[in-house]
Amino acid sequence: MVIGDIINTDLDRNDANAPNLCDPLQLETIRRTGSFHAAAKELKMSYRAIWMRIRTSEESIGKPLVVREGNGSRLTEYAERLMTRFENLQASILRHADEGYRDLLSDHLTCSGDR
Protein backbone atom coordinates (compact mmCIF):
# COMPACT_ATOMS: atom_id res chain seq x y z
CA MET A 1 0.00 0.00 0.00
CA VAL A 2 1.33 3.45 -0.88
CA ILE A 3 0.48 6.82 0.56
CA GLY A 4 -1.60 7.69 -2.51
CA ASP A 5 -3.91 4.78 -1.72
CA ILE A 6 -4.76 6.38 1.60
CA ILE A 7 -4.69 10.12 1.10
CA ASN A 8 -6.44 11.90 -1.75
CA THR A 9 -4.53 14.53 -3.66
CA ASP A 10 -6.09 17.65 -5.12
CA LEU A 11 -6.24 15.84 -8.48
CA ASP A 12 -8.38 13.06 -7.01
CA ARG A 13 -11.04 15.51 -5.88
CA ASN A 14 -12.14 16.04 -9.47
CA ASP A 15 -12.73 12.32 -10.00
CA ALA A 16 -16.35 11.43 -9.30
CA ASN A 17 -15.34 7.78 -8.76
CA ALA A 18 -12.63 8.56 -6.20
CA PRO A 19 -13.55 7.45 -2.67
CA ASN A 20 -14.24 10.27 -0.26
CA LEU A 21 -11.03 9.82 1.74
CA CYS A 22 -9.35 12.23 4.11
CA ASP A 23 -6.51 14.39 2.91
CA PRO A 24 -3.31 15.50 4.65
CA LEU A 25 -4.71 18.91 5.55
CA GLN A 26 -7.59 17.33 7.44
CA LEU A 27 -5.29 15.03 9.40
CA GLU A 28 -2.85 17.88 10.10
CA THR A 29 -5.67 20.13 11.31
CA ILE A 30 -7.01 17.43 13.64
CA ARG A 31 -3.44 16.87 14.88
CA ARG A 32 -2.90 20.58 15.54
CA THR A 33 -6.30 21.42 17.03
CA GLY A 34 -6.83 18.13 18.86
CA SER A 35 -10.49 18.18 17.91
CA PHE A 36 -12.80 17.10 15.08
CA HIS A 37 -15.03 20.10 15.82
CA ALA A 38 -12.20 22.63 15.76
CA ALA A 39 -10.71 21.06 12.62
CA ALA A 40 -14.08 21.09 10.86
CA LYS A 41 -14.65 24.73 11.80
CA GLU A 42 -11.16 25.78 10.64
CA LEU A 43 -11.53 23.88 7.35
CA LYS A 44 -15.08 25.22 6.85
CA MET A 45 -16.47 21.68 6.77
CA SER A 46 -19.22 20.11 8.76
CA TYR A 47 -18.26 17.86 11.65
CA ARG A 48 -20.05 15.02 9.88
CA ALA A 49 -18.12 15.57 6.62
CA ILE A 50 -14.69 15.41 8.25
CA TRP A 51 -15.73 12.51 10.50
CA MET A 52 -17.05 10.55 7.49
CA ARG A 53 -13.84 11.11 5.50
CA ILE A 54 -11.75 9.84 8.39
CA ARG A 55 -14.07 6.87 8.93
CA THR A 56 -14.10 5.98 5.20
CA SER A 57 -10.30 6.16 5.14
CA GLU A 58 -10.04 3.97 8.23
CA GLU A 59 -12.39 1.40 6.73
CA SER A 60 -10.43 1.44 3.44
CA ILE A 61 -7.08 0.77 5.06
CA GLY A 62 -8.30 -1.29 8.01
CA LYS A 63 -6.49 0.85 10.58
CA PRO A 64 -7.61 3.66 12.85
CA LEU A 65 -6.27 7.13 12.05
CA VAL A 66 -7.84 9.17 14.85
CA VAL A 67 -8.81 8.21 18.38
CA ARG A 68 -10.87 10.06 20.94
CA GLU A 69 -8.94 11.21 23.96
CA GLY A 70 -10.73 12.97 26.79
CA ASN A 71 -12.73 15.83 25.26
CA GLY A 72 -10.69 15.81 22.05
CA SER A 73 -9.06 13.61 19.46
CA ARG A 74 -5.54 12.72 18.42
CA LEU A 75 -3.89 10.94 15.52
CA THR A 76 -2.97 7.32 16.07
CA GLU A 77 0.65 6.23 15.92
CA TYR A 78 -0.05 4.88 12.42
CA ALA A 79 -1.50 8.22 11.26
CA GLU A 80 1.47 10.06 12.77
CA ARG A 81 3.85 7.82 10.79
CA LEU A 82 1.76 8.38 7.69
CA MET A 83 1.91 12.15 8.17
CA THR A 84 5.68 12.04 8.74
CA ARG A 85 6.10 10.12 5.48
CA PHE A 86 3.85 12.60 3.67
CA GLU A 87 5.72 15.59 5.12
CA ASN A 88 9.06 14.05 4.07
CA LEU A 89 7.69 13.43 0.58
CA GLN A 90 6.36 16.98 0.38
CA ALA A 91 9.73 18.43 1.51
CA SER A 92 11.55 16.31 -1.06
CA ILE A 93 9.26 17.49 -3.84
CA LEU A 94 9.80 21.13 -2.82
CA ARG A 95 13.60 20.64 -2.73
CA HIS A 96 13.57 19.08 -6.19
CA ALA A 97 11.32 21.83 -7.54
CA ASP A 98 13.65 24.51 -6.12
CA GLU A 99 16.69 22.75 -7.61
CA GLY A 100 14.93 22.45 -10.96
CA TYR A 101 14.03 26.12 -10.93
CA ARG A 102 17.61 27.11 -10.12
CA ASP A 103 18.83 24.87 -12.95
CA LEU A 104 16.37 26.48 -15.38
CA LEU A 105 17.35 29.95 -14.24
CA SER A 106 21.07 29.21 -14.52
CA ASP A 107 20.53 27.73 -18.00
CA HIS A 108 18.69 30.90 -19.01
CA LEU A 109 21.40 33.15 -17.60
CA THR A 110 24.09 31.11 -19.35
CA CYS A 111 22.22 31.21 -22.67
CA SER A 112 21.42 34.92 -22.51
CA GLY A 113 24.97 35.72 -21.42
CA ASP A 114 26.32 33.92 -24.52
CA ARG A 115 24.52 36.30 -26.91
Side-chain angles (χ1 to χ4, degrees):
M1 183 173 302
V2 295
I3 199 164
D5 293 335
I6 300 166
I7 298 179
N8 276 347
T9 63
D10 287 331
L11 297 175
D12 293 324
R13 291 188 187 133
N14 296 325
D15 182 354
N17 296 321
N20 201 15
L21 302 177
C22 65
D23 66 32
L25 181 59
Q26 293 162 354
L27 287 176
E28 171 54 33
T29 307
I30 292 168
R31 175 203 267 168
R32 189 171 31 76
T33 63
S35 161
F36 271 99
H37 285 287
K41 183 176 180 178
E42 185 173 313
L43 295 170
K44 296 178 177 39
M45 298 175 70
S46 70
Y47 170 87
R48 179 169 170 71
I50 196 168
W51 183 83
M52 286 301 295
R53 285 184 178 209
I54 297 294
R55 182 167 168 90
T56 301
S57 298
E58 291 174 336
E59 288 172 355
S60 268
I61 62 174
K63 293 183 182 216
L65 296 171
V66 179
V67 293
R68 298 228 178 245
E69 188 169 77
N71 290 332
S73 299
R74 68 170 175 78
L75 300 187
T76 63
E77 186 178 316
Y78 176 79
E80 287 289 352
R81 286 193 315 267
L82 182 67
M83 289 301 294
T84 297
R85 290 179 64 192
F86 174 77
E87 290 160 353
N88 291 340
L89 174 63
Q90 189 175 40
S92 176
I93 291 167
L94 289 174
R95 267 192 315 278
H96 289 293
D98 286 345
E99 290 168 9
Y101 177 76
R102 281 192 300 274
D103 289 346
L104 288 171
L105 185 58
S106 97
D107 288 348
H108 176 73
L109 292 175
T110 302
C111 292
S112 60
D114 291 340
R115 293 182 187 167

